[in-house]
Amino acid sequence: MVHYRNQILFLLLILNFIYEAIQLTTLIAEKTPKQFHSHFNYTTQNYPNNYTGEWLIRTNGDNHTIQANLAECDIESVTRKGKTMCSWDWDILAFYNVNTTGNATEYIYIKSTCCNGTLGHIHGSGSELYVKFTTDSSTSKKGFTISYQDFEPAENHTEISKSSQSTAESGSSTAATVGAVIGVLLGAVAVLLTIFVIRAVQGDLSADKETRTKMHSVDTAPVEIPKDRRRWTQIVDSIKKAIFILGTTCVFIIAASNSITWHLQRIWGASGNLWQNTWNRIYLAFGENDLLIGLFGTYALSMSVFWIANFFLLIIEITKWPQFLTKYKIQEDPITEKHKPMLKKTLQVVVFNQTVIGIPFMVLTYYLFEWRGCAFHGELPTFHWFLLELTVFSLVEELGFYYSHRMMHHRNLYSYIHKRHHEWTAPIGIISLYAHPIEHIISNLLPPILGPLLMKSHLCSIWVWFTIALLSTTISHCGYHFPLLPSPEAHDYHHKMFINNFGVLGILDRLHGTDLNFRASKAYQRHVLLLGLTPLSQQIPDSPSKKSE
């Protein structure tokens, strides 16, 4: 019996080896292009369902790499309104670099396709390229033909430089590319901004170089700025601020994205096409309907982000729980019984703005996005392009919000429109949308959508941007300087003193000098990212003789 059992085990091992050999085909790349097909009887029959085909392409040359491209391709995909969608749940063709260290082999995702448009050249970064084709239980089509060849180092270097967006990039090259794109953008903006301002203040720039701007340390009255102030310094400072804010934001997002993707790949075996696959599922959940996902999906996302964040903040404000968080309160003006009618009114106005004002505006926004050609499904933008979009979104919002907000402080408008928002001198998160309907449209709703309209952005990028914008304005109004969160000191100071800090990023405040009082205050010294647990109000307390700070 033991003898037969050993024979059976040996036979199973042989069969398993044969199966693996059949599944994984090893090919040798040479200078002359070669081809292979998706399945054995490619010319006469469609590829089978529930099928997996694997190919390992190797090159024998030292430091040589492999180039592959699709000669023919016809596999399952879904087309909606002229755009083709792929999913790892359907038929998919994927390419991977192979990294072998000792006995461990790692497959590094490059890209995938379901024949939706031009794939371009696929360049492996090493001497091996792994290709995998998987099919589901339905919809069988003709398949594909892949051409591949060996590339010598010199040729490979030239080709890679021509098709960098088609290759898998390392973290360092990604950061360099992103930095170059953002640097060019910020440089162009800075040059245009500088030219504009220089022309506006040419007479002032010839003033005495030793002239200093006098800044009062008392915050109760606006600082009177001499006409011959050094505006050039403000211009330079505003450009520096823009580069610092946008640069650090992009670095954070790059790090977060790389980390999340890497951990999901390693722990759950998620594909390199994680984000595309996730968006495809979201789109399918909305019945593959652009109106549903563009209108109701966006509205549901906005409401969820706003109320989840503010529910937590309201719990702290009303119940003073958890108590250890109350020490991070910026102004010691807690909500008491006398504030409850005001809080009730605030909730009513916010709900009114989100429904009666927000829903019609959302409908208009949907049709504007559709008119501009914004994509609601299909291929997501590259990560590099999304970072560029995020930079443009932030700059456009800064422009729109700063000037509309400063306009609301004009003496002919303030009493009729903006005064409602300033009823809260010690702000709480929910008042970020507590505004007159006119102000809500002009300052709260319009600036965030201008960037996506300008860039014709994908809805996925728009959702991420709206989430960032809503969380940002909530934090700015929350009244708490929590550890590891952006500082709300600037906007809190604006509500307390009714002057200075009209923008979101502070770039235009620095340019126009509408932050001078703030910069002379203790609040400005506290306007940093809190990295410890000790509140900044304890580290940098207000001067006893200056209660107004």
Side-chain angles (χ1 to χ4, degrees):
M1 180 64 70
V2 175
H3 176 70
Y4 288 120
R5 184 170 60 188
N6 289 339
Q7 286 184 330
I8 292 172
L9 290 175
F10 179 75
L11 180 61
L12 289 175
L13 288 173
I14 294 296
L15 291 174
N16 181 70
F17 175 79
I18 294 173
Y19 174 77
E20 293 291 339
I22 293 174
Q23 290 293 102
L24 179 63
T25 304
T26 301
L27 306 170
I28 303 299
E30 298 177 354
K31 287 288 295 180
T32 303
K34 297 181 178 180
Q35 290 185 339
F36 67 89
H37 304 297
S38 54
H39 55 292
F40 176 71
N41 47 357
Y42 171 77
T43 57
T44 58
Q45 294 183 17
N46 291 346
Y47 58 75
N49 293 323
N50 299 314
Y51 165 72
T52 299
E54 299 173 275
W55 298 266
L56 181 63
I57 308 174
R58 291 175 173 169
T59 178
N60 293 326
D62 294 336
N63 299 320
H64 286 205
T65 58
I66 301 162
Q67 175 186 290
N69 63 319
L70 284 172
E72 296 180 357
C73 192
D74 179 23
I75 61 180
E76 180 189 13
S77 61
V78 175
T79 302
R80 303 293 178 191
K81 294 189 176 181
K83 296 197 174 185
T84 306
M85 295 176 56
C86 302
S87 173
W88 290 78
D89 296 329
W90 306 330
D91 302 345
I92 199 77
L93 173 64
F95 298 83
Y96 301 81
N97 281 316
V98 182
N99 183 17
T100 303
T101 305
N103 295 325
T105 301
E106 181 181 12
Y107 296 95
I108 304 170
Y109 174 81
I110 301 176
K111 63 165 42 180
S112 59
T113 185
C114 58
C115 304
N116 56 330
T118 303
L119 183 66
H121 292 310
I122 299 295
H123 288 278
S125 61
S127 60
E128 293 182 328
L129 181 69
Y130 173 66
V131 183
K132 185 174 183 179
F133 178 52
T134 55
T135 69
D136 60 11
S137 58
S138 64
T139 312
S140 175
K141 291 195 173 184
K142 183 178 180 181
F144 58 83
T145 299
I146 290 180
S147 173
Y148 63 97
Q149 66 183 106
D150 176 287
F151 254 59
E152 294 183 8
E155 293 177 332
N156 181 54
H157 180 270
T158 302
E159 292 298 322
I160 288 178
S161 65
K162 292 180 180 178
S163 59
S164 58
Q165 291 188 358
S166 301
T167 60
E169 299 177 349
S170 64
S172 59
S173 62
T174 298
T177 304
V178 171
V181 171
I182 295 175
V184 170
L185 175 70
L186 291 176
V189 171
V191 169
L192 292 174
L193 187 62
T194 301
I195 293 173
F196 173 80
V197 178
I198 286 176
R199 288 181 177 177
V201 299
Q202 273 181 340
D204 292 335
L205 289 177
S206 60
D208 185 6
K209 294 184 178 180
E210 300 300 322
T211 302
R212 301 292 181 183
T213 300
K214 187 177 180 181
M215 297 167 54
H216 298 282
S217 59
V218 179
D219 292 331
T220 53
V223 171
E224 217 173 289
I225 306 166
K227 290 183 179 180
D228 58 350
R229 68 187 179 191
R230 300 180 66 192
R231 295 193 184 181
W232 179 254
T233 302
Q234 291 175 317
I235 296 170
V236 173
D237 285 350
S238 65
I239 294 172
K240 288 179 180 177
K241 195 178 187 85
I243 294 173
F244 175 77
I245 293 173
L246 298 174
T248 53
T249 300
C250 289
V251 168
F252 173 79
I253 293 176
I254 291 170
S257 175
N258 288 344
S259 178
I260 292 171
T261 305
W262 187 87
H263 284 295
L264 287 175
Q265 286 174 333
R266 301 287 288 187
I267 297 173
W268 294 307
S271 71
N273 216 15
L274 170 68
W275 307 115
Q276 180 69 62
N277 212 20
T278 302
W279 184 256
N280 288 345
R281 290 193 177 98
I282 293 173
Y283 187 71
L284 290 172
F286 281 90
E288 302 174 1
N289 187 304
D290 287 357
L291 178 64
L292 284 179
I293 194 171
L295 180 56
F296 296 103
T298 304
Y299 184 75
L301 173 79
S302 302
M303 292 288 284
S304 300
V305 171
F306 180 84
W307 285 108
I308 289 173
N310 281 283
F311 176 77
F312 171 73
L313 293 170
L314 283 173
I315 291 294
I316 301 176
E317 287 286 353
I318 296 172
T319 67
K320 305 298 179 289
W321 181 90
Q323 189 173 5
F324 73 92
L325 291 179
T326 60
K327 65 183 179 181
Y328 297 106
K329 183 77 173 173
I330 297 173
Q331 297 185 49
E332 296 180 4
D333 188 10
I335 292 180
T336 59
E337 287 296 325
K338 69 177 183 179
H339 291 96
K340 291 194 176 175
M342 190 174 173
L343 179 59
K344 181 179 178 181
K345 176 188 173 185
T346 301
L347 288 168
Q348 291 172 343
V349 171
V350 169
V351 172
F352 176 86
N353 283 338
Q354 288 183 317
T355 53
V356 179
I357 305 299
I359 292 177
F361 188 88
M362 191 70 71
V363 173
L364 175 63
T365 301
Y366 166 76
Y367 286 107
L368 285 174
F369 285 154
E370 192 175 54
W371 168 70
R372 283 291 290 159
C374 297
F376 295 87
H377 57 271
E379 186 176 359
L380 297 180
T382 63
F383 189 62
H384 309 89
W385 182 255
F386 169 70
L387 288 178
L388 177 62
E389 286 183 315
L390 187 62
T391 303
V392 174
F393 296 166
S394 301
L395 291 174
V396 171
E397 186 195 29
E398 173 75 356
L399 286 167
F401 184 78
Y402 177 86
Y403 291 113
S404 65
H405 185 194
R406 194 169 179 185
M407 178 182 68
M408 294 297 170
H409 276 263
H410 191 277
R411 60 179 178 272
N412 294 331
L413 295 176
Y414 179 83
S415 298
Y416 301 102
I417 299 177
H418 194 51
K419 185 177 180 180
R420 172 184 290 182
H421 184 69
H422 275 280
E423 290 174 2
W424 290 84
T425 56
I428 60 175
I430 199 172
I431 75 158
S432 56
L433 300 184
Y434 177 63
H436 190 282
I438 294 176
E439 179 186 357
H440 185 58
I441 294 172
I442 295 176
S443 295
N444 293 341
L445 298 178
L446 197 56
I449 74 164
L450 295 178
L453 284 173
L454 177 67
M455 300 296 289
K456 300 182 181 180
S457 300
H458 194 287
L459 185 62
C460 181
S461 299
I462 297 171
W463 278 18
V464 175
W465 166 239
F466 282 0
T467 300
I468 293 173
L470 283 168
L471 291 177
S472 174
T473 189
T474 297
I475 293 171
S476 296
H477 289 87
C478 73
Y480 289 86
H481 196 151
F482 291 122
L484 303 180
L485 288 182
S487 168
E489 297 281 353
H491 202 71
D492 196 277
Y493 181 89
H494 174 78
H495 273 263
K496 181 180 179 180
M497 307 308 300
F498 298 92
I499 58 171
N500 278 200
N501 304 337
F502 299 101
V504 178
L505 303 176
I507 297 170
L508 292 177
D509 282 302
R510 186 83 285 271
L511 178 65
H512 292 292
T514 51
D515 62 353
L516 298 179
N517 293 76
F518 174 61
R519 289 165 68 86
S521 71
K522 288 292 184 70
Y524 179 71
Q525 298 177 37
R526 296 190 291 264
H527 189 45
V528 294
L529 181 69
L530 177 57
L531 299 177
L533 297 178
T534 304
L536 284 168
S537 59
Q538 296 178 14
Q539 299 180 43
I540 310 173
D542 290 325
S543 302
S545 60
K546 297 175 183 177
K547 301 292 184 183
S548 63
E549 283 188 9

